[in-house]
Amino acid sequence: MDQYLLDTIWLIPVYALIGGLLAIPWSPGIIRKTGPRPAGYVNVVMTFFSFFHAVLAFFAIWNHPAKEVFIPWLSTAGLNLTINLEISAVSVGALIVITGLNLLAQIYAIGYMEMDWGWGRFFSLLGLFEAGLCGLVLCNDLFSTYVILEVLTLGTYLLVGLWFSQPLVVTGARDAFLTKRVGDLFLLMGVLGLWTLSGTWNYSELATWAATANVDPTIITLVCLGLIAGPMGKCAQFPLHLWLDEAMEGPVPSTILRSSVVVASGAWVLIKLQPVFSLSPVAASVMVAIGTVTAIGGALIAIAQIDIKRCLSYSVSVYMGLVFIAVGTQQNEAALLLVLTHAVSAALLVMSTGGIVWNSVTQDVTQLGGLWSRRPISGLAFIVGTLGLIGFPPLGSFWALFKLADGLWATHPTLVGIIIIVNGLTTFSLTREFSLIFGGKPKQMSERSPEAIWLMVLPMVILSGFVLHLPLVLQSLSLLPDWATLNKDVALLLIWSSIFGCSISSIIYLGNIPKPIRLPWQGLQNLFAYDFYTPKLYKITIIFGVAQLSKFADMLDKFVIDGIVNSVGLFSLLGGEGLKYSNNGQTQFYALTVLLGVGVLGTWLTWPFWGVHLMKFIF
């Protein structure tokens, strides 16, 4: 039975794909009699099959070596394309997280989108998303990974643009798609460049090749930078981070997946390619620098936001920045643990705030308040999600942050300080958001804001329980360090940074200090509030440059290319008109005209061959 579950592991993404395909007939205009609800029910059933299969397969593969499965796809004219899958405890565990969160998100979506007309399209796209993510973690081939990432980029565009009648939604979908395309273009260059160096795209073979490879440092650095650019876009890292904020215009149920497992797709590729990155110290340093800038910058920006979604979107970029730091310093186990703990906690935070977005008049946190008595379950879920995301023992992210900081304690003390600062800033930001939403007295916009319906509350309760019990799950799998060998200094620094951030934020936003809180220097306040002016930098650099290049290309096309074509056409027209009026009915005259034309054309074509010798003879 265990062997059968592992041999059919490829069915897990197929279940989700079937669910997505079966939901299409309920799109508007195809099936109307039953309404769109069956589309959601079909997807929930198929996702449950995926989750159940993944759980059983995990117990079958645990404590067993990884195995590869080769599925022949196409063999013709010397071209052999084979789907290469890797079945390991890590990949199957990732399947459990993806299918489990997608199952909860779909149940949540049934309540959230109760009266929405886009059920069929939405649930079919969720099925496509789940299938792509499951295929990504099973895939053991870089080129196939790139293809799947392209599918996920398209899925992001379609999901964000679900409500295409709203201008902001269209703009957000377009910006998310184009920003990711920038990273994907450089990723493709890196994928093709790596093939010329290693001769393989198989991750296992790449790791073996990297162990003994002797390549030109400049070339491997350029290839690695291209490979980093793709995950930069997927993980919303600076300067390709703005798409995640724009993508928040989409439905909240899709945001649950986007903020938890979709952004982690880039991190997964980084972890798989870590042996290749070890060949280039420059690329590793660039990765660490990108993660550091994004982690600190995103944490500062989140503090100054007032939109309930934007406050959380930047914390996603922050933790993906920590993953960049972990991979750049070869802390792969810490990176995987960060991805896991962040995924479940971030999904819980989005669920808890999604109910407020669902039935509240505003998303401005400064106009909310006093919701603790009206939304106790959402408030508790937000607290659990916050504690699961920061360095608060014994919950999950404490162990992930501790493992990363402990691994860097002896070699990179500066990075340990950055991790501590980021944890304190994130704690401050999340406590601030909780205080503004649930603390204080009810305001005009929040006086009538009841708890969400049970279909949205149930996933929150289930996920809250999992976040609270995650340390026990990790302990049972022997993935947590022993308390006796714990680095007490690192643990205390993480705990005190969490306490400090929470205390300062509580005093400011729950105390009697006049609101709104402003920094002493207005310029610094605006710098954080307007995302370090990154959109303006885009406008005066990339957008301006592309616009000028487009204008130049338009002028070149209009006055040069079209001019040449129009000149030839005008010459032909005038020549034809002239020949029309020179008709005299004499055959020898027509023959002479043809011979002269052929002679002139032949002289023009052969001029480079005999014209030079003629000029030398004359002079």
Side-chain angles (χ1 to χ4, degrees), residues 444-611:
Q444 185 176 6
M445 294 293 185
S446 59
E447 285 181 343
R448 298 180 179 180
S449 184
E451 187 64 86
I453 60 176
W454 71 270
L455 284 168
M456 299 167 64
V457 171
L458 178 62
M460 276 193 288
V461 173
I462 295 174
L463 194 53
S464 297
F466 182 79
V467 172
L468 291 172
H469 289 83
L470 182 59
L472 298 178
V473 176
L474 297 176
Q475 183 65 39
S476 65
L477 300 176
S478 301
L479 296 178
L480 295 184
D482 188 3
W483 282 98
T485 60
L486 200 67
N487 188 330
K488 306 299 191 300
D489 294 331
V490 175
L492 288 174
L493 285 173
L494 281 172
I495 295 171
W496 277 112
S497 65
S498 299
I499 294 174
F500 183 78
C502 181
S503 301
I504 297 299
S505 184
S506 299
I507 292 172
I508 294 175
Y509 293 100
L510 292 178
N512 295 323
I513 298 176
K515 311 291 189 304
I517 307 299
R518 296 189 179 275
L519 295 176
W521 183 40
Q522 184 63 34
L524 188 61
Q525 177 89 18
N526 293 337
L527 184 67
F528 295 159
Y530 295 110
D531 193 6
F532 287 93
Y533 298 109
T534 306
K536 290 187 177 181
L537 291 176
Y538 276 1
K539 289 182 180 179
I540 64 178
T541 54
I542 298 177
I543 297 177
F544 177 78
V546 172
Q548 297 305 313
L549 183 63
S550 301
K551 290 180 181 179
F552 175 75
D554 180 65
M555 293 177 59
L556 184 67
D557 179 70
K558 184 181 297 184
F559 296 106
V560 178
I561 306 300
D562 286 354
I564 294 174
V565 174
N566 293 335
S567 299
V568 173
L570 181 61
F571 178 78
S572 302
L573 182 62
L574 294 178
E577 290 292 328
L579 290 175
K580 180 176 70 175
Y581 292 111
S582 64
N583 289 339
N584 53 17
Q586 298 180 1
T587 305
Q588 59 272 27
F589 180 77
Y590 297 155
L592 178 62
T593 302
V594 172
L595 288 175
L596 287 175
V598 172
V600 172
L601 180 62
T603 302
W604 178 63
L605 292 175
T606 58
W607 176 259
F609 300 99
W610 62 272

Side-chain angles (χ1 to χ4, degrees), residues 131 153 174 338 476 523:
T153 299
R174 180 200 63 195
L338 268 172
S476 65

Side-chain angles (χ1 to χ4, degrees), residues 36-106:
R37 281 187 170 273
Y41 303 149
V42 168
N43 269 270
V44 169
V45 171
M46 299 308 296
T47 301
F48 176 77
F49 287 156
S50 299
F51 177 72
F52 189 66
H53 192 160
V55 171
L56 295 179
F58 181 78
F59 291 109
I61 194 63
W62 182 248
N63 285 331
H64 288 79
K67 58 180 294 186
E68 290 190 64
V69 177
F70 299 93
I71 303 177
W73 178 30
L74 178 65
S75 180
T76 179
L79 177 64
N80 297 309
L81 297 179
T82 302
I83 300 175
N84 185 8
L85 306 180
E86 182 187 46
I87 305 175
S88 64
V90 175
S91 61
V92 178
L95 289 177
I96 295 176
V97 175
I98 293 169
T99 55
L101 288 178
N102 198 55
L103 178 63
L104 295 177
Q106 289 186 7

Side-chain angles (χ1 to χ4, degrees), residues 178-193:
L178 293 179
T179 304
K180 283 191 172 185
R181 293 299 302 136
V182 173
D184 291 344
L185 178 61
F186 286 101
L187 176 61
L188 179 60
M189 296 179 187
V191 169
L192 298 178

Side-chain angles (χ1 to χ4, degrees), residues 288 292 322 325 329 405 408 412-420:
V288 172
T292 301
L322 295 178
I325 294 175
T329 54
L408 302 175
H412 300 82
T414 304
L415 293 179
V416 175
I418 290 172
I419 294 170
I420 301 301

Side-chain angles (χ1 to χ4, degrees), residues 21 87 111 246 313 517 616:
L21 292 175
I87 305 175
E246 298 285 346
S313 69
I517 307 299
K616 289 181 179 180

